[in-house]
Amino acid sequence: RLRLWGLLLLATRSESFQRTRSSRAQTRLHASTTLPELLEALKPYAPVRCIVVLPGAGAILESAVDASRWTMSESTTPTGKTLLTCKIADGSDSPPPFELHLDVDRAKKATLGVSPKTGGPIVRVMDGDGAGLVTLLPTGDSFVDAVVGKLGEEVDLVRR
């Protein structure tokens, strides 16, 4: 019995057992936040690459945007949908150079972490069935420790 405790103690001190700050973030249980709060957390990590894949992959829209300049507002459409709008207004009467509308009632969860493709940070906003609504690629390695460390790898998006 004493030998077993000794082996366990030795194992917990080994490098392969000890967790780094990033791996602690990866083991966090589900958190919840609102969609605006999640997008607000991306502002310090601009530019953010926004990717929208249309159903059937007939088209992909990508844009890099200075998320630190986003203004956000919610509005209700004539059909009753509540949309969160993220946009960068340039102050003129012309259409904004960037505008993203997300249906807050369809956005049910988000995954946060490191993209296996790019090796950089990634946020995927999904509906209740797990279908992607938008993929966001923030800039900066500190995103994983700061945001993923706070919220975890999977976040339930709630209305408050």
Side-chain angles (χ1 to χ4, degrees):
R1 196 177 230 183
L2 185 57
R3 185 170 182 227
L4 179 60
W5 281 109
L7 289 173
L8 286 173
L9 181 61
L10 181 62
T12 60
R13 294 181 188 271
S14 72
E15 282 186 47
S16 61
F17 186 85
Q18 293 175 353
R19 295 184 177 158
T20 63
R21 216 170 139 194
S22 295
S23 66
R24 278 197 306 270
Q26 294 171 356
T27 60
R28 182 180 164 97
L29 298 176
H30 273 53
S32 64
T33 190
T34 65
L35 183 58
E37 289 168 347
L38 174 65
L39 297 177
E40 190 72 33
L42 298 177
K43 283 186 168 187
Y45 304 98
V48 172
R49 192 168 173 189
C50 301
I51 304 167
V52 177
V53 179
L54 297 178
I60 298 171
L61 175 65
E62 295 187 34
S63 178
V65 61
D66 181 359
S68 68
R69 295 180 47 215
W70 276 349
T71 59
M72 291 184 239
S73 61
E74 280 190 11
S75 60
T76 304
T77 67
T79 59
K81 289 182 182 179
T82 302
L83 298 178
L84 174 67
T85 300
C86 299
K87 68 180 177 180
I88 295 177
D90 61 6
S92 70
D93 289 336
S94 52
F98 176 84
E99 193 166 316
L100 171 67
H101 304 280
L102 290 166
D103 185 336
V104 295
D105 292 318
R106 284 198 55 202
K108 296 293 184 187
K109 62 183 172 181
T111 58
L112 297 81
V114 176
S115 167
K117 183 177 179 181
T118 67
I122 187 169
V123 175
R124 287 189 178 100
V125 177
M126 297 172 285
D127 68 12
D129 296 326
L133 300 177
V134 65
T135 298
L136 304 159
L137 304 176
T139 304
D141 294 334
S142 63
F143 174 83
V144 174
D145 283 340
V147 180
V148 180
K150 178 182 175 189
L151 295 175
E153 288 186 330
E154 192 164 318
V155 179
D156 293 323
L157 298 174
V158 296
R159 298 283 309 265
R160 292 195 178 122

